[in-house]
């Protein structure tokens, strides 16, 4: 009997079902799902809570959310800087507990100023936890980080859907007790994920030397091929004072600047579609929530399969071209949705929703890989913290830009799409390989953190990712 030959480049089904990162990777995946279930329970009810329970005015709610958003911007860079110096799992636990305490404090008062203070204090660890989770995933999954991120985003969307459905069911009651129940359920989710995170081992960090007692200072203390270590003594590397500074890295800052604009798909889907459907098209109003359902279903269905197209930084860079096409298609379809009757408008809006959802998926893949590949290993936390500012800034800037596009009329959408195409092409040029020859980050970490100041920088981003693929055999 002749052996069955596998097609070159295909991954066996059993391999595709494995979650990268081992037990800790799976445990953190559960943490992400529980976190989003709790957030989904509260997110849809929070504004209504401030209106019907705290009796705040629309102006006060806007101010409260605005102040919270501004303070939250400081979360990513602060978390990234701390993560280069302290265990990321412990920082995650602190962030989760602070989020819970700040949310619980809302029950103690209905006064505007204390509510604004507690909301703002909760926004800081909320934004910080996103960067810390990304760092943990990058470290525990190693060369499989893109696949892990894809699985995580799929699970997170499921968590959001479960939480949102639960909130909708509870809010049919509409009493003060119902709102308080949703808030307490979210607080409970923070407590649960804090306990689960404490059970995760600290993944090996390229920015610190893991030195066990009695081990030679220059020898690796973690067996090759593992992704996390037992709880060791963590000491700063000799070159810690000379770590690269992301605020002085013009290339990384420019990359982060382009990311602010490319994250606009979030505001377009969350804010732009509902406003446009209601104010500019003949499509039924009920299409607005359907757009978000389509978005969630496509992310769940496509995020993991498409992750194989971004498993190296060169592949992630190539995704910027189809990403630009998706943005332009979405903008053109939204403009066309004003030209016909209800059926034509509905079809055009759904085409636009599919295009912007594909843009969201493609951008999440390229952004994740490039933000890590462009960061030096010994300052990974600080760099990813700066990159986290892009999404925070978009959350403040995006609704304003999208609102202006809705007010300007149909031609604004192709113009916005063209600007996103230009941004994709600019980023495509920014992240092109520089040709510098530097040791891969994985090797630098294995060598005990002793590396030249430019080791692991962008010039070798492709070689770093490719080295991971070779080791994995995929």
């Amino acid at each position: 009997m002749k052996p069955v030959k596998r097609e070159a480049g295909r991954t066996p089904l059993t391999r595709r079902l494995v979650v990268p990162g081992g037990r800790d990777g799976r445990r953190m995946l559960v943490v992400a799902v529980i976190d989003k279930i709790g957030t989904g329970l509260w997110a849809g009810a929070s504004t209504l809570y401030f209106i019907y329970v705290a009796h705040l005015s629309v102006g006060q709610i806007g101010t409260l959310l605005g102040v919270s958003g501004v303070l939250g911007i400081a979360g990513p860079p602060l978390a990234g800087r701390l993560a280069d110096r302290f265990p990321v799992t412990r920082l995650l636990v602190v962030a989760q507990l602070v989020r819970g305490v700040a949310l619980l404090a809302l029950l103690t008062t209905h006064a505007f100023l204390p509510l604004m203070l507690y909301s703002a204090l909760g926004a800081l660890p909320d934004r910080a936890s996103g960067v810390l989770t990304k760092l943990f995933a990058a470290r525990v999954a190693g060369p499989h980080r893109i696949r892990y991120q894809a699985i995580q985003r799929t699970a997170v969307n499921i968590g959001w859907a479960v939480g949102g459905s639960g909130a909708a069911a509870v809010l049919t009651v509409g009493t003060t007790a119902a709102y308080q129940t949703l808030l307490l359920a979210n607080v409970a989710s923070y407590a649960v994920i804090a306990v689960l995170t404490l059970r995760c081992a600290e993944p090996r960090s390229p920015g610190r030397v893991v030195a066990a007692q009695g081990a030679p200072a220059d020898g690796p203390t973690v067996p090759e091929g593992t992704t996390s270590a037992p709880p060791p003594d963590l000491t700063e590397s000799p070159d810690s004072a000379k770590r690269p500074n992301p605020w002085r890295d013009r290339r990384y800052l420019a990359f982060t600047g382009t990311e602010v604009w490319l994250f606009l798909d979030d505001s377009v889907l969350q804010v732009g579609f509902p406003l446009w459907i209601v104010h500019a098209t003949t499509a039924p109003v009920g299409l607005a929530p359907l757009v978000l359902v389509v978005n969630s279903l496509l992310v769940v269905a496509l995020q993991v399969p498409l992750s194989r197209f971004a498993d190296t930084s060169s592949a992630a860079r190539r995704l910027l071209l189809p990403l630009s096409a998706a943005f332009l298609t979405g903008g053109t379809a939204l403009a066309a949705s004003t030209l016909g009757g209800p059926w034509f408008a509905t079809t055009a809006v759904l085409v636009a929703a599919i295009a912007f959802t594909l843009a969201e998926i493609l951008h999440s893949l390229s952004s994740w890989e490039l933000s890590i590949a462009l960061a030096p290993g010994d300052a990974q936390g600080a760099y990813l913290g700066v990159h986290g500012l892009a999404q925070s800034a978009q959350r403040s800037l995006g609704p304003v830009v999208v609102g202006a596009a809705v007010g300007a009329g149909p031609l604004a959408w192709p113009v916005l799409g063209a600007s996103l195409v230009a941004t994709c092409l600019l980023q495509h040029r920014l992240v092109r390989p520089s040709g510098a020859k530097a040791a891969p980050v994985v090797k630098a970490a294995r060598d005990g953190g002793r590396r030249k100041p430019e080791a692991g920088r962008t010039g070798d981003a492709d070689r770093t990712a490719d080295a991971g693929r070779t080791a994995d055999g995929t």
Side-chain angles (χ1 to χ4, degrees), residues 86-416:
F86 302 101
V88 68
T89 51
R90 299 303 180 263
L91 292 174
L92 261 173
V93 170
V94 172
Q96 291 156 354
L97 292 177
V98 174
R99 291 165 76 191
V101 170
L103 185 60
L104 189 61
L106 296 179
L107 294 177
T108 64
T109 181
H110 290 168
F112 169 64
L113 288 178
L115 287 174
M116 183 173 67
L117 174 64
Y118 298 146
S119 297
L121 290 177
L124 189 68
D126 183 68
R127 302 287 178 85
S129 63
V131 170
L132 295 172
T133 301
K134 182 176 180 179
L135 271 171
F136 181 92
R139 292 172 181 177
V140 79
H144 309 287
R145 59 184 180 241
I146 284 296
R147 176 169 172 77
Y148 186 89
Q149 181 260 3
I151 296 172
Q152 186 183 59
R153 285 198 85 234
T154 301
V156 160
N157 271 270
I158 295 173
W160 268 109
V162 172
S165 300
V170 173
L171 288 178
T172 57
V173 180
T175 62
T176 297
Y179 289 106
Q180 292 173 339
T181 298
L182 293 174
L183 185 151
L184 289 172
N186 196 18
V187 171
S189 75
Y190 292 141
V192 171
I193 63 177
V195 172
L196 289 175
T197 304
L198 277 173
R199 299 182 62 189
C200 293
E202 177 67 16
R204 184 174 55 182
S205 166
R208 291 194 301 270
V209 178
V210 181
Q213 290 183 356
D218 58 349
T221 61
V222 181
E224 207 172 307
T226 61
T227 56
S228 60
D233 293 329
L234 299 177
T235 57
E236 296 286 333
S237 67
D239 296 329
S240 61
K242 300 179 181 178
R243 282 198 183 104
N245 187 341
W247 298 104
R248 296 178 181 175
D249 190 330
R250 289 179 293 179
R251 186 186 193 189
Y252 201 86
L253 289 176
F255 166 71
T256 301
T258 59
E259 287 284 89
V260 175
W261 204 245
L262 295 184
F263 273 120
L264 275 178
D265 60 81
D266 182 62
S267 291
V268 171
L269 286 163
Q270 298 286 339
V271 180
F273 272 86
L275 291 176
W276 189 250
I277 289 169
V278 172
H279 294 292
T281 76
T282 57
V285 175
L287 185 61
L290 182 60
V291 165
L292 296 181
V293 172
V294 170
N295 172 261
S296 296
L297 290 176
L298 286 176
V299 171
V300 170
L302 298 178
Q303 186 77 47
V304 174
L306 291 179
S307 66
R308 65 191 180 93
F309 294 108
D311 56 357
T312 68
S313 55
S314 58
R317 179 174 179 255
R318 288 193 295 270
L319 281 184
L320 291 169
L321 300 180
L323 172 61
S324 64
F327 277 133
L328 189 58
T329 300
T332 303
L334 278 178
S337 66
T338 62
L339 300 178
W343 282 105
F344 182 86
T346 298
T347 302
V349 167
L350 288 176
V351 169
I354 293 170
F356 275 106
T357 299
L358 286 174
E360 175 193 343
I361 295 171
L362 295 176
H363 180 237
S364 70
L365 293 171
S366 66
S367 176
W368 177 283
E369 174 61 24
L370 292 172
S371 64
I372 295 173
L374 294 173
D378 55 359
Q380 195 177 67
Y383 271 69
L384 291 185
V386 169
H387 180 262
L389 286 173
Q391 200 159 14
S392 295
Q394 189 280 144
R395 289 180 181 177
S396 299
L397 176 67
V400 177
V401 172
V402 171
V406 171
L411 289 179
W413 293 112
V415 171
L416 180 61

Side-chain angles (χ1 to χ4, degrees), residues 417-443:
S419 72
L420 288 164
V421 170
T423 306
C424 288
L425 296 178
L426 175 59
Q427 187 176 111
H428 189 269
R429 180 175 176 82
L430 279 172
V431 301
R432 70 190 189 281
S434 62
K437 293 183 179 180
V441 174
V442 175
K443 183 178 184 300

